[in-house]
Amino acid sequence: MQYFLAIIGGGPAGYTAAELASKAGKDVILFEQNALGGTCLNVGCIPTKSLLYGAKQYYNATHAQRYGVTAENVNFDFAAMQKRKTIVVRKLVAGIRQRLNNEHCTVINGAANVLSRTDELVTITCNGETYQAQNLLICTGSSNFVPPIPGIQDNPFIWDSTAALAATELPQSVIIVGGGVIGMEFATLYNELGITVTIIEAMSRILATLDESISAYLTTVYSKRGVNILTSSKVTAINGNTVQLLTSDSEAIQQLSADKILVCVGRRANIQGLEALNDLEYIRGAIVVDDFMRTNLPNVYAAGDVTGKIMLAHVASRQAEVAVGRMLKQIPVQRIAYNAIPSVVYTNPEVASVGITENDLEGCEEHTLPMTFSGRFMAENEGETGLCKLVVNTKSQAIMGVHVVGNPASEFIAAASFAVRMGYTLPEFRQVVFPHPTVSEILREAVNDK
Ligand code: NAD
């Protein structure tokens, strides 16, 4: 049988594309070597959020005096948290399988390799069988990057995020190498569960790609909670459970030890199995795609982390929609609004942002309000001030970026994304009515205050 579309990888990009193309009546085959759902569902977003939610319950229970509540003998059971995480993941994976079954999409469990390609046909092998399709969509995702630090390989004290998520027991202390998104989410988990945490970050601030005032706010909050944050610090070697590091303000090498060393210094595109596509174009190890997710080979598309654009599950799904739309020659032709992609970091408090930051301020002005301008925020976030920053084009008054730190920022950043995506100006956004009392009203307050 010849398929219309072969998809390698069953993460958010792969399963979204499979469902869409199948729904459109096309024959689709999807190859996945592990579980459906990819990194996000199995070893990323969902398991992390399940564990973080448990940790937050424990933290809130032990810090409830702020709200006039005392609880004694509060404990947590890490094995029970892990068990719940596994059940959540299993149910969601089963849901994806069901949805693909409903659309009669063929799913093959195994590692696929491209065997050959012409402009008309792509041939793939998997588990000793060969399959042919008119189009190929590569959604092979990314893996944890292992930096070339001496002593990191085959070291039982080293964890990557996958190993940390699978751990059955908690360490008493952990060093986190990399104060990016993954590093800060694990710092939150461990700190809330009472584990001693040190973060080592090479840049001059944690979450260096985010707005500077947000990094500064979280640095203050986490330092007060006892997290040791070492910025402008490079790990030069690891020896067993001891890390050697060099800070930019000192020539002396420091040594730090912990029960575990969690290394999270970025991810790299998975490109194994694609060797037969020898003309496929790459940039910095990721597949080059145009606005419609087309590679330089006519019937080969790519979506998700493997394109190295923005490594987020919701970007992957949207890229998959655009790729399939293009294959099906749907009108109007879709593009991705990369300027309006929301992102969330699940620290406590949460960070959520969309659009440009103060680093790209040319022609724009920024305006910041504390989250305490929201009555609901005041009622529910004792001791927190948070902040909401608006970036506006000075001339057109269009909203270009919104950056929030404060709970529950993740739940209302979509409203800001909508404004950025649609190019709303301040006068237009002022006409939007927000429900009262909600923390989302901070967006309206920030716009009114401008
Ligand atoms: P990252 O790029 O966010 O952060 C890695 C950090 O490690 C950087 O700040 C970098 O300066 C630092 N670093 C690099 N080498 C170092 C060294 N030798 N010593 C000290 N620090 C060093 O990468 P990540 O945190 O690994 O996340 C990977 C990807 O997964 C990102 O694209 C991220 O957006 C995505 N992700 C998203 C979410 C979410 O949306 N909530 C959650 C987890 C991961």
Short mmCIF file of all heavy atoms in Angstrom, two decimals, residues 265-314:
data_model
loop_
_atom_site.label_atom_id
_atom_site.label_comp_id
_atom_site.label_asym_id
_atom_site.label_seq_id
_atom_site.Cartn_x
_atom_site.Cartn_y
_atom_site.Cartn_z
N VAL A 265 21.36 21.69 30.01
CA VAL A 265 21.98 22.80 29.30
C VAL A 265 21.51 22.85 27.84
O VAL A 265 22.25 23.21 26.94
CB VAL A 265 23.52 22.72 29.37
CG1 VAL A 265 24.00 22.91 30.80
CG2 VAL A 265 24.03 21.40 28.82
N GLY A 266 20.25 22.50 27.63
CA GLY A 266 19.68 22.60 26.30
C GLY A 266 19.43 21.24 25.67
O GLY A 266 19.78 20.20 26.24
N ARG A 267 18.81 21.26 24.50
CA ARG A 267 18.45 20.03 23.79
C ARG A 267 18.93 20.14 22.34
O ARG A 267 19.11 21.24 21.83
CB ARG A 267 16.92 19.80 23.85
CG ARG A 267 16.43 19.62 25.29
CD ARG A 267 14.91 19.41 25.34
NE ARG A 267 14.48 18.21 24.65
CZ ARG A 267 14.47 16.99 25.19
NH1 ARG A 267 14.83 16.81 26.44
NH2 ARG A 267 14.05 15.95 24.49
N ARG A 268 19.11 18.98 21.71
CA ARG A 268 19.57 18.95 20.32
C ARG A 268 18.61 18.11 19.48
O ARG A 268 18.05 17.11 19.97
CB ARG A 268 20.97 18.30 20.24
CG ARG A 268 22.07 19.13 20.86
CD ARG A 268 22.38 20.42 20.07
NE ARG A 268 23.42 21.21 20.72
CZ ARG A 268 23.22 22.12 21.67
NH1 ARG A 268 22.00 22.38 22.11
NH2 ARG A 268 24.24 22.80 22.19
N ALA A 269 18.47 18.52 18.21
CA ALA A 269 17.55 17.83 17.30
C ALA A 269 17.96 16.37 17.09
O ALA A 269 19.15 16.06 17.04
CB ALA A 269 17.57 18.57 15.96
N ASN A 270 16.97 15.48 17.00
CA ASN A 270 17.22 14.05 16.70
C ASN A 270 17.18 13.85 15.19
O ASN A 270 16.12 14.02 14.58
CB ASN A 270 16.12 13.17 17.32
CG ASN A 270 16.17 13.17 18.83
OD1 ASN A 270 17.23 13.34 19.42
ND2 ASN A 270 15.02 13.00 19.45
N ILE A 271 18.33 13.50 14.62
CA ILE A 271 18.35 13.38 13.15
C ILE A 271 18.80 11.99 12.69
O ILE A 271 19.10 11.80 11.52
CB ILE A 271 19.23 14.49 12.53
CG1 ILE A 271 20.61 14.52 13.19
CG2 ILE A 271 18.57 15.86 12.67
CD1 ILE A 271 21.59 15.44 12.50
N GLN A 272 18.83 11.04 13.65
CA GLN A 272 19.22 9.68 13.27
C GLN A 272 18.13 9.06 12.38
O GLN A 272 16.95 9.34 12.57
CB GLN A 272 19.38 8.78 14.50
CG GLN A 272 20.28 9.31 15.59
CD GLN A 272 19.52 10.20 16.57
OE1 GLN A 272 18.65 10.96 16.19
NE2 GLN A 272 19.88 10.09 17.84
N GLY A 273 18.54 8.22 11.46
CA GLY A 273 17.58 7.52 10.60
C GLY A 273 17.27 8.29 9.33
O GLY A 273 16.51 7.83 8.48
N LEU A 274 17.85 9.49 9.21
CA LEU A 274 17.54 10.34 8.04
C LEU A 274 18.72 10.40 7.07
O LEU A 274 18.70 11.17 6.11
CB LEU A 274 17.20 11.77 8.51
CG LEU A 274 16.14 11.88 9.59
CD1 LEU A 274 16.00 13.33 10.04
CD2 LEU A 274 14.79 11.37 9.06
N GLU A 275 19.76 9.56 7.34
CA GLU A 275 21.01 9.66 6.59
C GLU A 275 20.80 9.52 5.08
O GLU A 275 21.52 10.14 4.28
CB GLU A 275 22.02 8.59 7.07
CG GLU A 275 22.51 8.79 8.51
CD GLU A 275 21.51 8.36 9.58
OE1 GLU A 275 20.46 7.79 9.23
OE2 GLU A 275 21.77 8.60 10.78
N ALA A 276 19.79 8.73 4.67
CA ALA A 276 19.57 8.52 3.22
C ALA A 276 19.10 9.81 2.53
O ALA A 276 19.19 9.93 1.31
CB ALA A 276 18.53 7.41 3.01
N LEU A 277 18.61 10.76 3.32
CA LEU A 277 18.20 12.05 2.73
C LEU A 277 19.46 12.91 2.66
O LEU A 277 19.58 13.93 3.35
CB LEU A 277 17.13 12.72 3.59
CG LEU A 277 15.84 11.94 3.79
CD1 LEU A 277 14.94 12.62 4.81
CD2 LEU A 277 15.10 11.84 2.44
N ASN A 278 20.42 12.52 1.81
CA ASN A 278 21.74 13.15 1.92
C ASN A 278 21.78 14.59 1.45
O ASN A 278 22.73 15.28 1.75
CB ASN A 278 22.85 12.29 1.27
CG ASN A 278 22.37 11.63 0.01
OD1 ASN A 278 21.42 12.12 -0.59
ND2 ASN A 278 23.01 10.55 -0.39
N ASP A 279 20.73 15.06 0.74
CA ASP A 279 20.74 16.48 0.34
C ASP A 279 19.95 17.35 1.32
O ASP A 279 19.81 18.55 1.08
CB ASP A 279 20.13 16.63 -1.06
CG ASP A 279 20.99 15.94 -2.10
OD1 ASP A 279 22.22 15.89 -1.88
OD2 ASP A 279 20.44 15.44 -3.10
N LEU A 280 19.43 16.75 2.37
CA LEU A 280 18.60 17.52 3.31
C LEU A 280 19.46 18.60 3.99
O LEU A 280 20.56 18.32 4.46
CB LEU A 280 18.01 16.57 4.37
CG LEU A 280 16.97 17.17 5.31
CD1 LEU A 280 15.73 17.64 4.55
CD2 LEU A 280 16.55 16.14 6.37
N GLU A 281 18.89 19.80 4.03
CA GLU A 281 19.66 20.94 4.54
C GLU A 281 19.48 21.09 6.06
O GLU A 281 18.34 21.03 6.56
CB GLU A 281 19.15 22.20 3.83
CG GLU A 281 20.12 23.33 3.80
CD GLU A 281 19.51 24.55 3.12
OE1 GLU A 281 18.75 24.38 2.13
OE2 GLU A 281 19.79 25.64 3.58
N TYR A 282 20.60 21.32 6.75
CA TYR A 282 20.58 21.50 8.21
C TYR A 282 21.23 22.83 8.56
O TYR A 282 22.08 23.32 7.83
CB TYR A 282 21.40 20.41 8.90
CG TYR A 282 20.81 19.02 8.80
CD1 TYR A 282 21.16 18.17 7.74
CD2 TYR A 282 19.93 18.54 9.77
CE1 TYR A 282 20.62 16.89 7.65
CE2 TYR A 282 19.40 17.26 9.68
CZ TYR A 282 19.75 16.45 8.63
OH TYR A 282 19.22 15.19 8.54
N ILE A 283 20.81 23.37 9.71
CA ILE A 283 21.54 24.51 10.26
C ILE A 283 21.71 24.25 11.76
O ILE A 283 20.74 23.93 12.45
CB ILE A 283 20.85 25.88 9.97
CG1 ILE A 283 21.70 27.02 10.51
CG2 ILE A 283 19.44 25.95 10.52
CD1 ILE A 283 21.34 28.38 9.94
N ARG A 284 22.94 24.37 12.22
CA ARG A 284 23.30 24.06 13.62
C ARG A 284 22.66 22.74 14.09
O ARG A 284 22.06 22.66 15.17
CB ARG A 284 22.92 25.21 14.56
CG ARG A 284 23.83 26.43 14.41
CD ARG A 284 23.50 27.50 15.40
NE ARG A 284 22.18 28.04 15.22
CZ ARG A 284 21.88 28.99 14.34
NH1 ARG A 284 22.81 29.52 13.57
NH2 ARG A 284 20.64 29.41 14.22
N GLY A 285 22.69 21.74 13.22
CA GLY A 285 22.21 20.40 13.59
C GLY A 285 20.70 20.22 13.51
O GLY A 285 20.19 19.14 13.82
N ALA A 286 19.97 21.25 13.10
CA ALA A 286 18.50 21.14 12.99
C ALA A 286 18.09 21.27 11.53
O ALA A 286 18.81 21.88 10.72
CB ALA A 286 17.84 22.22 13.82
N ILE A 287 16.91 20.71 11.18
CA ILE A 287 16.48 20.72 9.77
C ILE A 287 15.95 22.10 9.39
O ILE A 287 15.13 22.68 10.12
CB ILE A 287 15.38 19.65 9.54
CG1 ILE A 287 15.95 18.25 9.84
CG2 ILE A 287 14.82 19.73 8.13
CD1 ILE A 287 14.92 17.14 9.75
N VAL A 288 16.42 22.61 8.26
CA VAL A 288 15.97 23.92 7.80
C VAL A 288 14.59 23.79 7.16
O VAL A 288 14.38 22.91 6.31
CB VAL A 288 16.97 24.50 6.75
CG1 VAL A 288 16.48 25.83 6.22
CG2 VAL A 288 18.36 24.63 7.36
N VAL A 289 13.65 24.64 7.60
CA VAL A 289 12.30 24.63 7.00
C VAL A 289 11.91 26.06 6.64
O VAL A 289 12.43 27.01 7.23
CB VAL A 289 11.24 24.06 7.97
CG1 VAL A 289 11.32 22.56 8.07
CG2 VAL A 289 11.32 24.71 9.34
N ASP A 290 10.97 26.19 5.70
CA ASP A 290 10.46 27.51 5.37
C ASP A 290 9.20 27.78 6.22
O ASP A 290 8.89 27.01 7.13
CB ASP A 290 10.20 27.65 3.86
CG ASP A 290 9.05 26.75 3.38
OD1 ASP A 290 8.38 26.11 4.22
OD2 ASP A 290 8.82 26.69 2.16
N ASP A 291 8.48 28.84 5.91
CA ASP A 291 7.30 29.22 6.70
C ASP A 291 6.19 28.17 6.66
O ASP A 291 5.27 28.20 7.46
CB ASP A 291 6.71 30.53 6.16
CG ASP A 291 7.50 31.72 6.64
OD1 ASP A 291 8.46 31.51 7.41
OD2 ASP A 291 7.17 32.85 6.23
N PHE A 292 6.27 27.26 5.66
CA PHE A 292 5.23 26.23 5.53
C PHE A 292 5.74 24.86 5.94
O PHE A 292 5.16 23.84 5.58
CB PHE A 292 4.71 26.21 4.09
CG PHE A 292 4.26 27.55 3.62
CD1 PHE A 292 5.00 28.26 2.69
CD2 PHE A 292 3.11 28.12 4.14
CE1 PHE A 292 4.60 29.52 2.28
CE2 PHE A 292 2.71 29.38 3.73
CZ PHE A 292 3.45 30.09 2.80
N MET A 293 6.87 24.85 6.64
CA MET A 293 7.49 23.63 7.18
C MET A 293 8.02 22.71 6.07
O MET A 293 8.22 21.52 6.28
CB MET A 293 6.52 22.84 8.10
CG MET A 293 5.79 23.68 9.13
SD MET A 293 6.80 24.92 9.96
CE MET A 293 8.01 23.96 10.80
N ARG A 294 8.28 23.30 4.90
CA ARG A 294 8.89 22.54 3.81
C ARG A 294 10.39 22.54 3.98
O ARG A 294 10.98 23.59 4.29
CB ARG A 294 8.55 23.18 2.45
CG ARG A 294 7.10 23.06 2.09
CD ARG A 294 6.82 23.70 0.76
NE ARG A 294 7.12 25.13 0.76
CZ ARG A 294 6.77 25.96 -0.21
NH1 ARG A 294 6.14 25.50 -1.26
NH2 ARG A 294 7.08 27.24 -0.13
N THR A 295 11.03 21.40 3.76
CA THR A 295 12.49 21.36 3.74
C THR A 295 12.92 21.71 2.31
O THR A 295 12.09 22.02 1.46
CB THR A 295 13.02 19.96 4.12
OG1 THR A 295 12.71 19.07 3.06
CG2 THR A 295 12.42 19.47 5.42
N ASN A 296 14.20 21.58 2.03
CA ASN A 296 14.67 21.86 0.66
C ASN A 296 14.34 20.70 -0.29
O ASN A 296 14.55 20.82 -1.49
CB ASN A 296 16.19 22.13 0.67
CG ASN A 296 16.98 20.94 1.16
OD1 ASN A 296 16.62 20.32 2.15
ND2 ASN A 296 18.05 20.60 0.47
N LEU A 297 13.83 19.57 0.24
CA LEU A 297 13.44 18.45 -0.63
C LEU A 297 11.92 18.51 -0.83
O LEU A 297 11.17 18.57 0.15
CB LEU A 297 13.84 17.11 0.01
CG LEU A 297 15.32 17.00 0.42
CD1 LEU A 297 15.58 15.66 1.10
CD2 LEU A 297 16.22 17.16 -0.81
N PRO A 298 11.45 18.51 -2.09
CA PRO A 298 10.06 18.82 -2.40
C PRO A 298 8.98 18.10 -1.58
O PRO A 298 8.04 18.73 -1.17
CB PRO A 298 9.95 18.47 -3.89
CG PRO A 298 11.33 18.65 -4.40
CD PRO A 298 12.26 18.30 -3.29
N ASN A 299 9.13 16.81 -1.35
CA ASN A 299 8.04 16.11 -0.63
C ASN A 299 8.42 15.79 0.83
O ASN A 299 7.84 14.91 1.44
CB ASN A 299 7.63 14.83 -1.36
CG ASN A 299 8.84 13.98 -1.72
OD1 ASN A 299 9.98 14.40 -1.55
ND2 ASN A 299 8.59 12.78 -2.22
N VAL A 300 9.38 16.51 1.36
CA VAL A 300 9.81 16.27 2.75
C VAL A 300 9.57 17.52 3.59
O VAL A 300 10.02 18.60 3.24
CB VAL A 300 11.31 15.86 2.82
CG1 VAL A 300 11.74 15.64 4.26
CG2 VAL A 300 11.56 14.61 1.98
N TYR A 301 8.81 17.33 4.66
CA TYR A 301 8.48 18.41 5.59
C TYR A 301 9.06 18.05 6.96
O TYR A 301 9.35 16.89 7.24
CB TYR A 301 6.96 18.55 5.73
CG TYR A 301 6.23 18.95 4.48
CD1 TYR A 301 6.09 18.06 3.41
CD2 TYR A 301 5.65 20.21 4.35
CE1 TYR A 301 5.42 18.43 2.25
CE2 TYR A 301 4.97 20.58 3.21
CZ TYR A 301 4.85 19.70 2.16
OH TYR A 301 4.19 20.06 1.02
N ALA A 302 9.19 19.04 7.82
CA ALA A 302 9.62 18.78 9.19
C ALA A 302 8.86 19.70 10.13
O ALA A 302 8.49 20.83 9.76
CB ALA A 302 11.12 18.98 9.34
N ALA A 303 8.61 19.23 11.35
CA ALA A 303 7.90 20.05 12.35
C ALA A 303 8.36 19.66 13.74
O ALA A 303 8.78 18.52 13.97
CB ALA A 303 6.38 19.84 12.21
N GLY A 304 8.29 20.61 14.66
CA GLY A 304 8.65 20.35 16.05
C GLY A 304 10.11 20.66 16.35
O GLY A 304 10.79 21.35 15.58
N ASP A 305 10.61 20.10 17.47
CA ASP A 305 11.96 20.41 17.95
C ASP A 305 13.05 20.15 16.91
O ASP A 305 14.09 20.81 16.93
CB ASP A 305 12.31 19.55 19.18
CG ASP A 305 11.59 20.02 20.44
OD1 ASP A 305 10.73 20.92 20.33
OD2 ASP A 305 11.89 19.47 21.52
N VAL A 306 12.82 19.18 16.00
CA VAL A 306 13.85 18.82 15.02
C VAL A 306 14.17 19.99 14.09
O VAL A 306 15.23 20.02 13.47
CB VAL A 306 13.44 17.55 14.23
CG1 VAL A 306 12.34 17.85 13.21
CG2 VAL A 306 14.64 16.90 13.56
N THR A 307 13.26 20.98 14.03
CA THR A 307 13.51 22.16 13.19
C THR A 307 14.32 23.20 13.96
O THR A 307 14.74 24.21 13.38
CB THR A 307 12.19 22.82 12.71
OG1 THR A 307 11.50 23.34 13.86
CG2 THR A 307 11.31 21.83 11.99
N GLY A 308 14.49 22.98 15.27
CA GLY A 308 15.33 23.86 16.10
C GLY A 308 14.82 25.28 16.22
O GLY A 308 15.55 26.18 16.61
N LYS A 309 13.55 25.51 15.88
CA LYS A 309 13.05 26.90 15.89
C LYS A 309 12.76 27.35 17.33
O LYS A 309 13.54 28.07 17.93
CB LYS A 309 11.83 27.03 15.00
CG LYS A 309 12.20 27.04 13.54
CD LYS A 309 11.11 27.65 12.71
CE LYS A 309 11.51 27.86 11.28
NZ LYS A 309 12.21 29.09 10.99
N ILE A 310 11.63 26.91 17.86
CA ILE A 310 11.32 27.18 19.28
C ILE A 310 10.90 25.83 19.84
O ILE A 310 9.91 25.25 19.38
CB ILE A 310 10.17 28.20 19.45
CG1 ILE A 310 10.47 29.49 18.68
CG2 ILE A 310 9.92 28.48 20.92
CD1 ILE A 310 9.35 30.53 18.75
N MET A 311 11.66 25.31 20.82
CA MET A 311 11.39 23.94 21.30
C MET A 311 10.26 23.93 22.32
O MET A 311 10.49 23.79 23.53
CB MET A 311 12.67 23.33 21.85
CG MET A 311 13.68 23.01 20.77
SD MET A 311 15.02 22.00 21.39
CE MET A 311 16.01 21.76 19.93
N LEU A 312 9.04 24.09 21.82
CA LEU A 312 7.85 24.05 22.69
C LEU A 312 6.79 23.19 22.04
O LEU A 312 6.63 23.24 20.81
CB LEU A 312 7.30 25.47 22.90
CG LEU A 312 8.19 26.46 23.65
CD1 LEU A 312 7.59 27.85 23.61
CD2 LEU A 312 8.41 26.01 25.09
N ALA A 313 6.06 22.43 22.85
CA ALA A 313 5.06 21.50 22.31
C ALA A 313 4.00 22.23 21.50
O ALA A 313 3.57 21.75 20.44
CB ALA A 313 4.42 20.72 23.46
N HIS A 314 3.56 23.40 21.99
CA HIS A 314 2.48 24.10 21.26
C HIS A 314 2.97 24.67 19.93
O HIS A 314 2.17 24.83 19.01
CB HIS A 314 1.80 25.17 22.13
CG HIS A 314 2.73 26.05 22.91
ND1 HIS A 314 3.33 25.64 24.07
CD2 HIS A 314 3.14 27.33 22.72
CE1 HIS A 314 4.07 26.64 24.55
NE2 HIS A 314 3.98 27.67 23.75
#
